[in-house]
Amino acid sequence: MRLGVNGLAAKATLGPAATVRLARLAEELGYASWWVGDHVVLPSPRTPESPMEATDPILDPLVHLAYVAAVTTRIELATGIVILPQRNPVVLAKQAASLDVLSGGRLLLGVGAGYLEPEMTAVGVAMSERGGRTDEYIDAMTSLWTHDAPAFEGRYASFRDVDAHPRPARPGGPRVVIGGHSRAALRRAVGRGHGWFGMGDLAELERLLAGLREAAGEVERPDRLGRLEVTYLHFGAAALDRSVAERYESMGVDRLLVYPLPLEDVDDVAAFMERYAGLLQ
């Protein structure tokens, strides 16, 4: 199991000096992956399901990761997650391939269907279409990354007689990580993802892993995807210590993520990262 850090593209951590400082610190401390989320807009006033105030600043994840790529050399760069139905899959495929090339094959493309209706409405996507769009967009991007003659025909995306170069640095394209806790998300992870991204505590993970096992009995997994990797963000009231981390590892977690909330002071975030860096040693 490897340790990652989540969320450092928002609030006090989003400026250029803070980004350089924290990204280099993460690499120096041995963190294996750097994850950032995605909200194009947020409900204003804040709704109960919204994770942030509408006035809380958060950067575009791909722009942010390109900046981080330029000041690091080893750490994996991950979206956790991009709200896929809000993106044009042809444009996103080009952006992801470009970032993968410039980072030397370090991109992990975490994607999800989203859940905030005001955000979907603002970009012109119906909530009822988000699952179908997510599935189609993954398949469309995969074609652009991997096929000699990319082509796709679906309800929400369609193209042929086009090509896109450079291909991603990583053979087969960036590893696609499916985020979400719904039955549809777990089935999508089995059928279309190299990995799955979830968040919560040990009890929640136990429930979700059972859901993944159930999905694996229902959905065919392509051989090209290999073993499903599990990325899990520890989140909740329970403290994260070595014994809890060992329990996560015994349950099959491949990447355990820490989240240095409340992201209001860069020095506090740096101290948090230093404190948890030895968790797996």
Side-chain angles (χ1 to χ4, degrees), residues 3 5 11 28 61 98 273:
L3 191 64
V5 63
K11 297 187 176 180
E28 291 167 6
S98 300
M273 293 168 63

Side-chain angles (χ1 to χ4, degrees), residues 84-86 124-126 129-138 156:
L84 190 51
Q86 298 178 174
V125 174
E129 297 177 351
R130 60 197 175 112
R133 287 182 182 272
T134 299
D135 291 339
E136 283 196 12
Y137 290 2
I138 294 169
Y156 306 108

Side-chain angles (χ1 to χ4, degrees), residues 68-188:
V68 174
V71 299
T72 58
T73 59
R74 300 182 306 277
I75 197 167
E76 290 181 312
L77 310 170
T79 57
I81 48 75
V82 162
I83 304 170
L84 190 51
Q86 298 178 174
R87 307 278 175 154
N88 180 297
V90 178
V91 176
L92 182 58
K94 169 63 78 171
Q95 293 171 322
S98 300
L99 180 50
D100 199 55
V101 168
L102 289 174
S103 67
R106 289 187 280 151
L107 177 63
L108 302 171
L109 188 65
V111 301
Y115 62 95
L116 291 177
E117 186 168 7
E119 187 174 21
M120 291 286 181
T121 300
V123 296
V125 174
M127 287 288 282
S128 61
E129 297 177 351
R130 60 197 175 112
R133 287 182 182 272
T134 299
D135 291 339
E136 283 196 12
Y137 290 2
I138 294 169
D139 295 346
M141 292 191 297
T142 299
S143 178
L144 286 162
W145 293 330
T146 63
H147 293 174
D148 292 336
F152 185 79
E153 188 68 38
R155 179 180 177 186
Y156 306 108
S158 179
F159 54 82
R160 64 178 59 253
D161 301 323
V162 296
D163 210 340
H165 290 266
R167 295 288 196 258
R170 191 185 303 231
R175 297 185 72 79
V176 174
V177 180
I178 308 297
H181 293 190
S182 69
R183 183 171 182 269
L186 300 180
R187 289 169 61 89
R188 184 174 296 121

